[in-house]
């Protein structure tokens, strides 16, 4: 069944996600759904890798455009601010105007913004282009996941499809590091932006050829008050954490932005309980299975930044790797994620359910992070880093494929876009928290080690202090992944209970999935 092909389910009801074979859609396009998956995965890869591909190119861009080191963070922050704050609006626009339409618009806009960034001759233009990338990414990402949700209805096929999609979502950041290293070393930093045009062209062609025309749907009014409060609230939260990373948690701007963000998000929740057409119907996040999955996704994002941020520092600054070597060094992790998502998570999810897979995946990934505590000043990549990356990837792949599938299962077709946007929002907020929190912990540990010395530190003592900072970040990340396991084990229902609830809802005996004990 291809995306957007059947009439929408009324907002209060739940589509047929019970384990029954899907009905063949009109138009005979069912054979195209796996090609559609490839198109969707390609678009998702473009959005995810853009969060890291530019990081590798920043030193070259700084030398070329002549901006200061204190300004460099805005190249990353502009993207994350626009992307994170506009995701829920982007998801609802897909629900209202057709996810195929917003998918294509997102691709074209993202490509145009990338060209603008590649042509930038000033710092301001590059920042503006990155913000535009984030805005169109916020339209594209929930449309992609929403189409995947409505395309694959059969549980077995859905498990395999989300295994593939989860592997892209989990490994895209590492692929971005590798691709950024290759393009920066053998071309120029500008190609880290131009490369998106290739992804976008392939995505648009695939969408036009293999994705069905969206049906006409009822278009309720957009929840303007909800859009304004949640957008401003998420801007406050994301900016607050970004500012904390550079200026500290006690900086007045950090405190004001975080407080304002929390107040506005709270106001958004109140508004959503009172408006006729809420931007985010609260039943989506209050469902036990979806709520547990959203929490797991947010926590995983925190833990992942402990890997990418500090392991990159370790490889380049301690082991002396080049940008390209660092990208290649990360390659075993996405490969491990792909194997885990498709061969373990995708196959086992219909049998054992997400409760077991998220729990086990969290513990496995935490074990991998603990293995990184073996790193030292004179450690080798093969003996210390490589085994940890493989184990982390196995755990992450299981979490992503299971949690993303569960977070979008049982959602009314009219709400699929905003439910998908919530997945991306949790990832973005988790990443912002992880970057700021772990950077602060790292800096505090390094400073404490150096302050504890009775004389001027030697180069070896300085290097060891930095290693201790890395270990603190890895240890905290491991603890966060244990929380992921607990979120899956304590909140998500047993598979037998989940299937019973989905069958009950699909039979039309209730307008929403009832809460059940786990």
């Amino acid at each position: 069944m291809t995306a957007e092909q059947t009439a929408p389910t009324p907002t209060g009801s739940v589509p047929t996600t019970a384990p029954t074979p899907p009905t063949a859609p009109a138009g005979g396009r069912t054979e195209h759904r796996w090609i559609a998956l490839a198109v969707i995965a390609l678009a998702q890869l473009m959005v995810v890798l853009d969060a890291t591909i530019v990081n590798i190119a920043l030193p070259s861009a700084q030398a070329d455009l002549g901006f200061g080191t204190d300004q460099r963070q805005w190249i990353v922050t502009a993207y994350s601010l626009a992307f994170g704050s506009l995701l829920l609006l982007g998801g609802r626009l897909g629900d209202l105007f057709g996810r195929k339409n917003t998918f294509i618009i997102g691709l074209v806009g993202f490509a145009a913004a990338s060209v603008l960034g590649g042509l930038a001759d000033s710092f301001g233009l590059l920042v503006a282009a990155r913000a535009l990338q984030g805005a169109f990414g916020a339209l594209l990402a929930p449309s992609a996941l929403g189409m995947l949700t409505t395309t694959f209805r059969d549980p077995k096929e859905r498990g395999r499809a989300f295994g593939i999609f989860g592997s892209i979502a989990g490994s895209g950041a590492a692929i971005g590091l590798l691709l950024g290293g290759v393009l920066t070393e053998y071309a120029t930093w500008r190609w880290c932006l131009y490369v998106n045009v290739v992804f976008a062209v392939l995505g648009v062609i695939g969408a036009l050829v293999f994705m069905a025309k969206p049906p006409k749907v009822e278009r309720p009014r957009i929840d303007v008050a909800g859009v304004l409060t949640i957008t401003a609230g998420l801007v406050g939260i994301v900016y607050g954490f970004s500012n904390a990373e550079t200026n500290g948690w006690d900086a007045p701007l950090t405190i004001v932005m975080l407080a304002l963000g929390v107040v506005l998000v709270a106001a958004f929740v109140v508004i959503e309980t009172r408006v006729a057409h809420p931007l985010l119907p609260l039943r989506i996040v209050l469902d036990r299975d979806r709520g547990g999955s959203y929490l797991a996704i947010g926590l995983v994002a925190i833990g992942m930044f402990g890997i990418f941020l500090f392991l990159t520092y370790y490889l380049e600054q301690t082991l002396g790797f080049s940008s390209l070597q660092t990208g290649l060094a990360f390659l075993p992790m996405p490969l491990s994620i792909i194997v885990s998502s498709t061969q373990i998570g995708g196959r086992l999810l219909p049998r054992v359910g997400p409760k077991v897979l998220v729990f086990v995946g969290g513990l496995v990934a935490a074990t991998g992070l603990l293995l990184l505590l073996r790193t030292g000043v004179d450690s080798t990549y093969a003996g210390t880093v490589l085994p940890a990356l493989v184990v982390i990837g196995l755990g992450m792949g299981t979490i992503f494929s299971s949690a993303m599938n569960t977070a979008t299962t049982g959602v009314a077709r009219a709400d699929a876009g905003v439910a998908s946007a919530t997945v991306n929002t949790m990832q973005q907020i988790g990443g912002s928290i992880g970057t700021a929190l772990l950077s602060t912990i790292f800096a505090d540990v390094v400073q404490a080690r150096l302050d504890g010395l009775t004389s001027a530190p030697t180069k070896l003592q300085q290097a060891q202090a930095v290693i201790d900072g890395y270990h603190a970040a890895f240890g905290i990340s491991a603890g966060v992944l244990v929380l992921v396991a607990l979120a899956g084990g304590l909140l998500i229902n047993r598979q037998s209970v989940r299937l019973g609830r989905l069958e009950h809802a699909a039979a039309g005996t209730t307008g929403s999935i009832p809460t059940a004990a786990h």
Side-chain angles (χ1 to χ4, degrees), residues 244-299:
E245 181 188 357
T246 54
N247 298 318
W249 293 96
D250 57 350
L253 187 58
T254 299
I255 297 171
V256 169
M257 293 302 289
L258 288 176
L260 182 63
V262 170
V263 169
L264 288 172
V265 170
F268 169 74
V269 173
V270 173
I271 290 170
E272 298 309 276
T273 63
R274 300 183 178 183
V275 296
H277 303 291
L279 177 66
L280 175 61
L282 295 184
R283 63 179 175 274
I284 291 176
V285 295
L286 293 178
D287 174 77
R288 184 170 186 144
D289 294 330
R290 283 195 294 273
S293 297
Y294 288 138
L295 180 59
I297 289 168
L299 290 171

Side-chain angles (χ1 to χ4, degrees), residues 174 177-178 182 321-332 381 389:
L177 291 174
L178 173 59
V182 171
F321 282 29
S322 67
S323 296
L324 178 57
Q325 287 175 321
T326 298
L328 290 171
F330 272 105
L331 195 56
Y381 169 78
L389 288 177

